[in-house]
Amino acid sequence: MGVIDFLMQGFHTAIQPGNLFFAFIGVLIGTAVGVLPGIGPMSGVALLIPVTATLTGGMEPSAAATSSIILLAGVYYGAMYGGSTTSILLNTPGESSSVVTTLDGYQMAKQGRAGSALSIAAIGSFAAGIVSIIGLALLANPLSEMALKFGPAEYFSLMLLGLAAVSGLAGGSITKAWMMTVTGLLLATIGIDAVSGVARFTYEIPVLFGGLEFLTVAVGLFALGEVFKTILHKEDDQEKVAKVGRVIPSKTDLKESAGPIARGSILGFFIGVLPGAGATLASFFSYIAEKKLSKTPEKFGKGAIAGVAAPESANNAASGGAMIPLLTLGIPGSGTTAILMGALIMYNVQPGPLLFSDHPDVAWGLIASMFIGNLMLLILNMPLVKVFAKIIETPPKYLLPIIIAISVFGVYAVQVTTFDLYLLIGFGLAGYLLAKNDYPLAPLVLGLVLGPMIENNMRRALTTSNGDFIVFIENPISAIFLVCAVLWILVPFLLKLKGKNVVVNVEG
């Protein structure tokens, strides 16, 4: 069977009434998540995991996994759409990848062109979504077939590379990012060792024998962490939201945006495929590229439509591109895809090369649903942009109780233990304190998800080599992954060191 046949099967799965409903709910909630400043796709996806678990409770395991991942992925790329709304209307990014959109989007809003900026952002996001889905459909099978040839040594090295990539690019401090990565790996060791049967770091507490539940940690760190931040840092001064006038863009706007949308979509997709690069980097690169290519670079930062079209296209294409390493190799390229991976594992669906052969309905159903979801987002965002703009004005006193209720009831419904509720509160406080002190949370989640797999593959590789560590550099593919991982860690460190030396010499 070819790609077209698999895709047709995927559409057959995606257009089932239940899955269409899940896709619609996902993109709708995702847009709202993107619009609300501070929540972001990671918090939104983490918050919705227990909800999907409850909604799909009576389904077959495979159908439950498909419906859940369709909804959660919808939240992910829907948040990328929604993030542009606050950037343009409030000069406040809904999430990090929309930071660049504020530069020209807010200037357009001040000039009375908010409607045009929002509609071009929606059109660019749709075009980018289609580009990334085509790329995902074309690359998924070849990559998964190649990955099937990997042994435990190659998988161990590949996962280390994924860990190094995300940790190396998370946050401003490399040291803090690595501290969080190690913390995540340490938390992953809690529970009964699968090989020896020895209890590790359980302190004779029976409920810890199964390890820390990913769902509890993710919802606590992101959703409750954001709640604590909002409660403890009250911001009384409400910024004025710019008025949304004419929503349909002019022919001139469409003509000026066509090139930036196309270039941003392609560039964003390939940056998204790289583990650790992510949507934020894609949006920055596309903005810089457009400014360099523009015949009027002086207009950038003063309301250039290309300054909205390019980064918004790039960040949406990157979210689709990030699905490739997740689905084909089992390597999450960002914090949000790490949470999506944890959700799939919850349903006993292991992302990686066997996903397309063992669970084709999940893999191709998701890819097809992304096309349908992007179409839904375009239809939703163009006419309802003024409605979504009103969501920005939702007072925290209404929003916070809803988030707390979903977090508590969701975690309890899945785990059915009060111990997990205590853990939820504990991780919520930890998430607040860590974020307050600029410790990135994504590496911790990634360490927690990848930790068991890194350990299992290392043990399997050492078993086949009779404990000889040379097995990791003996195989060329494994050695290449390890060299790339080391360079990913060392290059930013050396560049930072070189920068400090330059400063010292200039001052001297």
Side-chain angles (χ1 to χ4, degrees), residues 235-249:
E235 292 179 8
D236 298 323
D237 51 323
Q238 191 91 16
E239 284 202 52
K240 193 178 178 183
V241 181
K243 294 285 181 187
V244 181
R246 173 195 162 103
V247 175
I248 305 299

Side-chain angles (χ1 to χ4, degrees), residues 80-434:
M80 295 296 173
Y81 264 70
S84 61
T85 307
T86 46
S87 295
I88 292 164
L89 298 180
L90 267 181
N91 201 27
T92 306
E95 27 81 32
S96 60
S97 61
S98 294
V99 170
V100 189
T101 311
T102 60
L103 301 176
D104 286 277
Y106 187 60
Q107 294 301 318
M108 285 182 71
K110 289 207 298 189
Q111 294 162 17
R113 296 162 64 206
S116 294
L118 288 165
S119 58
I120 287 296
I123 293 165
S125 297
F126 173 73
I130 300 305
V131 167
S132 66
I133 293 157
I134 292 167
L136 182 55
L138 293 174
L139 292 175
N141 252 358
L143 273 175
S144 59
E145 284 172 15
M146 181 191 78
L148 277 171
K149 297 171 185 174
F150 287 2
E154 289 90 340
Y155 261 114
F156 169 80
S157 303
L158 179 64
M159 285 171 186
L160 276 190
L161 172 59
L163 211 58
V166 173
S167 301
L169 289 171
S173 168
I174 297 169
T175 309
K176 286 179 177 179
W178 276 105
M179 285 170 71
M180 297 306 289
T181 305
V182 172
T183 303
L185 290 171
L186 288 172
L187 291 174
T189 62
I190 295 172
I192 299 287
D193 179 14
V195 177
S196 65
V198 173
R200 301 185 298 191
F201 307 111
T202 56
Y203 304 102
E204 298 181 3
I205 302 170
V207 77
L208 284 177
F209 289 165
L212 293 182
E213 183 58 44
F214 162 80
L215 170 67
T216 308
V217 176
V219 174
L221 285 174
F222 294 106
L224 272 196
E226 200 59 47
V227 168
F228 285 124
K229 180 186 170 186
T230 309
I231 291 169
L232 296 169
H233 295 274
K234 289 181 181 177
E235 292 179 8
D236 298 323
D237 51 323
Q238 191 91 16
E239 284 202 52
K240 193 178 178 183
V241 181
K243 294 285 181 187
V244 181
R246 173 195 162 103
V247 175
I248 305 299
S250 64
K251 285 184 180 179
T252 309
D253 286 337
L254 287 169
K255 189 180 176 183
E256 287 179 9
S257 305
I261 285 171
R263 288 187 289 270
S265 300
I266 295 164
L267 180 65
F269 174 74
F270 285 108
I271 290 174
V273 172
L274 299 171
T280 305
L281 209 63
S283 61
F284 273 98
F285 277 177
S286 66
Y287 186 85
I288 293 162
E290 284 308 315
K291 195 172 180 180
K292 292 279 184 189
L293 292 168
S294 176
K295 292 176 183 176
T296 54
E298 68 279 358
K299 287 186 178 179
F300 279 75
K302 296 175 183 176
I305 194 84
V308 174
E312 279 303 307
S313 303
N315 70 30
N316 276 271
S319 67
M323 288 291 191
I324 288 181
L326 171 68
L327 297 178
T328 60
L329 303 173
I331 297 296
S334 66
T336 312
T337 49
I339 292 170
L340 287 173
M341 182 174 178
L344 279 171
I345 293 168
M346 267 180 62
Y347 289 98
N348 293 319
V349 174
Q350 179 64 57
L354 291 172
L355 177 67
F356 288 83
S357 55
D358 292 353
H359 303 280
D361 49 338
V362 177
W364 291 103
L366 170 62
I367 293 169
S369 79
M370 287 174 72
F371 178 85
I372 294 167
N374 270 282
L375 195 59
M376 286 176 175
L377 278 167
L378 185 67
I379 296 165
L380 273 172
N381 275 261
M382 293 295 281
L384 297 180
V385 72
K386 293 182 181 181
V387 177
F388 285 121
K390 287 286 179 188
I391 294 174
I392 300 169
E393 298 168 24
T394 306
K397 65 180 179 180
Y398 299 125
L399 190 63
L400 295 185
I402 295 169
I403 294 173
I404 293 167
I406 294 171
S407 301
V408 172
F409 292 122
V411 167
Y412 189 77
V414 175
Q415 295 305 114
V416 202
T417 65
T418 51
F419 180 80
D420 273 83
L421 295 182
Y422 295 129
L423 272 183
L424 178 73
I425 296 164
F427 277 106
L429 286 168
Y432 159 70
L433 292 170
L434 290 167

Side-chain angles (χ1 to χ4, degrees), residues 435-451:
K436 183 186 175 185
N437 292 288
D438 296 322
Y439 284 88
L441 301 176
L444 189 151
V445 172
L446 199 63
L448 186 67
V449 171
L450 290 182

